Amino acid sequence: GVTTDGVTILLHGGVHRLAEPIILTPEDSGTSAEKPFTIGAFGKEKPVLSGGVPLRNWKQVVGQPGLWQTDVRVQLGDNWQFRSLFINGRRATRARTPNEGELFRMVGERFNDKVFQFKFRAGDIKPSWAKAGDVEVIAFEKWTDIRQFIREVNTESNVVTLSGSSSQHTRESGARYFIENAPDSLDVPGEWQLDRISGAVTAMFKAGENPN
């Protein structure tokens, strides 16, 4: 409510889903430290403001126990591409290889900056990932990290070309990296993968779990 002490908005517990951003302007600010603009929880309740959208209509993938799939393009309209999926309130792991706790390493250091190219150990990166168009390398060089799409894979020279660039001074021999969103790396319950061509999101659940 609006009082002589400023503006206070108290939210009850539960998930409050936002169809569009909350817009605050300078006019919403308190006139002073004594008359602030405040958004807070009502009592000891625990409200959550969420811009997320529930995904429904999951169907089991035929012949692949544990895998469930739904069409996000139909449910989310134009704004259907995303990198985060929450299952029971926890951020799920985007399909990755190697799995958590392990990392690949570059052979030597990145040898080209614009575009980003490096040598990989034979078998670590697959040509099919470049064809998919939405498989990403997450690499850690010195104090930096990069996230770029795989654009070309040469299995004769074991060289991968990524979608962006980086600076020469961040090159690091044997830099660590892993792969995200490759469809064939969906192999652990709690992982998920989004196909940006078809709009299908696939997630792996434990035996007996039903995402619906």
Side-chain angles (χ1 to χ4, degrees):
V2 179
T3 70
T4 56
D5 295 325
V7 177
T8 300
I9 298 175
L10 297 179
L11 301 175
H12 285 288
V15 177
H16 304 277
R17 300 199 179 276
L18 306 177
E20 57 188 34
I22 295 175
I23 298 176
L24 300 174
T25 67
E27 288 73 25
D28 296 309
S29 299
T31 57
S32 68
E34 290 75 28
K35 297 182 178 181
F37 175 88
T38 303
I39 299 177
F42 183 85
K44 294 184 179 181
E45 297 184 27
K46 296 181 179 181
V48 175
L49 293 173
S50 173
V53 179
L55 294 178
R56 300 182 172 88
N57 302 320
W58 292 84
K59 297 179 180 179
Q60 282 187 293
V61 178
V62 178
Q64 300 188 63
L67 288 186
W68 292 73
Q69 197 170 75
T70 189
D71 188 330
V72 297
R73 190 192 299 269
V74 170
Q75 298 180 62
L76 304 184
D78 294 335
N79 190 27
W80 62 273
Q81 297 189 23
F82 55 91
R83 281 194 172 95
S84 295
L85 178 71
F86 290 81
I87 299 175
N88 290 336
R90 292 187 177 184
R91 186 189 299 273
T93 300
R94 198 167 179 232
R96 61 169 283 175
T97 188
N99 288 321
E100 291 190 75
E102 301 178 44
L103 292 162
F104 290 141
R105 285 189 177 271
M106 297 180 188
V107 176
E109 64 180 30
R110 166 171 42 94
F111 64 86
N112 197 34
D113 308 313
K114 300 178 181 181
V115 290
F116 196 116
Q117 290 180 305
F118 66 89
K119 292 194 69 173
F120 59 90
R121 293 181 302 182
D124 284 354
I125 299 180
K126 302 178 182 179
S128 60
W129 297 344
K131 293 178 181 178
D134 57 0
V135 179
E136 291 181 288
V137 168
I138 293 82
F140 308 98
E141 296 180 308
K142 293 186 177 177
W143 62 88
T144 68
D145 60 90
I146 67 101
R147 176 182 289 273
Q148 296 182 19
F149 294 109
I150 296 173
R151 289 294 180 245
E152 185 178 338
V153 179
N154 187 319
T155 54
E156 293 183 2
S157 61
N158 290 330
V159 168
V160 61
T161 302
L162 304 185
S163 57
S165 61
S166 192
S167 301
Q168 182 176 357
H169 66 269
T170 63
R171 293 182 182 184
E172 178 185 349
S173 182
R176 300 162 299 153
Y177 71 95
F178 64 91
I179 309 296
E180 269 194 0
N181 207 48
D184 51 356
S185 63
L186 185 59
D187 58 0
V188 176
E191 287 190 338
W192 66 280
Q193 186 262 341
L194 174 64
D195 186 322
R196 297 194 185 198
I197 296 176
S198 70
V201 61
T202 308
M204 178 174 283
F205 294 86
K206 295 179 182 178
E209 287 185 329
N210 185 330
N212 291 310

